Amino acid sequence: MPARTAGDSARSEPVRDLRPTAALRGDMSRAEAAVRRVTHEWVLACNTKHLDDLLDLYVPDALVMRSNCPPIRGAAAVREFFFGALDAGLGEVEVEPLRVEVVGDMAYEAGRCKALIPSATGKRREERGKYLWVCARQSNGEWKLAADCWSSDLTLTALESDVPQSTGVKTGQPRRSS
C-alpha cells in the first residue's frame, strides 16, 4: 500500500511511495546509463554514416541479425554488412528503448525502432519494428554490443524482399514416421 502522510485520510487519490528505489540510490545506474549511451552513439554513428564509429560499438565476434538477412558474425562480416547498408541508404534511425536490464557484466536493451532502409528495388523504404541488443562489459569497463537483433513489423511484398523466393518447399501436413 502506498505511504500516506498525516491528514491524507480525506484524499481519494493515493500518495506516491517516495522510498528510494535502486535507480534513485544509484544501484547500477552507471551501468544502465552506459548501455543507453551505446544506443545513443549507435544511432548517431548510423545517421551520420560514420562507419568506424559504428563498428567500434561492437565486440570483435558480434552477432548481427536483421530481418530478411542471414545472421552476420565477426568484425569483417559486420563491417561489410554496415558498409553496404550505409552506402545503400540506411539512415534516419530512431529508437525508443522500452527496457534496459543489467545483470553483472551483461545487459540487454529492448525497444521499438524506425528507419529508412535500402530495398532490393534500389529505393529506401520506412521500416518499423523492434530490437533487442545484448551488451557486454569489456575488461576496461566499456560496454559494447555483443548481439544486435532487429525485427520488422511490416510485411514485405515479393518485390520488396531482399530474400530470394524459395521454390520447391513443401508445406502442409508434417511427414509421418513409420
Side-chain angles (χ1 to χ4, degrees):
M1 178 168 226
R4 293 186 176 264
T5 59
D8 281 344
S9 59
R11 283 184 150 170
S12 59
E13 295 179 18
V15 174
R16 205 173 77 177
D17 187 352
L18 298 177
R19 287 179 291 175
T21 63
L24 290 174
R25 287 190 315 265
D27 296 350
M28 293 198 292
S29 62
R30 284 188 195 138
E32 182 177 338
V35 170
R36 289 179 183 264
R37 195 168 26 260
V38 169
T39 302
H40 175 76
E41 290 174 12
W42 192 98
V43 170
L44 182 62
C46 186
N47 288 342
T48 59
K49 301 192 182 306
H50 287 143
L51 179 63
D52 290 335
D53 292 344
L54 182 66
L55 297 173
D56 191 45
L57 298 170
Y58 288 88
V59 299
D61 66 338
L63 177 64
V64 174
M65 296 185 292
R66 296 297 167 91
S67 298
N68 305 307
C69 293
I72 300 152
R73 182 170 210 135
V78 171
R79 174 178 278 285
E80 183 179 335
F81 172 77
F82 280 115
F83 176 82
L86 292 172
D87 189 51
L90 173 64
E92 297 186 40
V93 176
E94 297 176 23
V95 298
E96 177 189 354
L98 299 175
R99 181 177 218 162
V100 176
E101 294 287 334
V102 178
V103 179
D105 289 338
M106 298 296 290
Y108 76 86
E109 178 175 301
R112 293 187 202 119
C113 56
K114 181 169 73 167
L116 290 181
I117 63 163
S119 70
T121 61
K123 296 181 180 181
R124 294 191 324 165
R125 62 179 164 74
E126 183 179 283
E127 181 172 270
R128 290 183 311 271
K130 55 255 174 217
Y131 69 95
L132 178 64
W133 284 348
V134 177
C135 293
R137 188 183 343 236
Q138 305 302 290
S139 58
N140 65 0
E142 185 178 14
W143 288 88
K144 292 198 175 212
L145 287 162
D148 166 350
C149 182
W150 296 61
S151 176
S152 178
D153 288 343
L154 305 177
T155 302
L156 301 178
T157 67
L159 290 176
E160 292 175 315
S161 177
D162 296 328
V163 177
Q165 295 300 309
S166 175
T167 58
V169 175
K170 297 177 184 176
T171 60
Q173 297 297 319
R175 291 185 355 196
R176 291 185 184 150
S177 59
S178 303

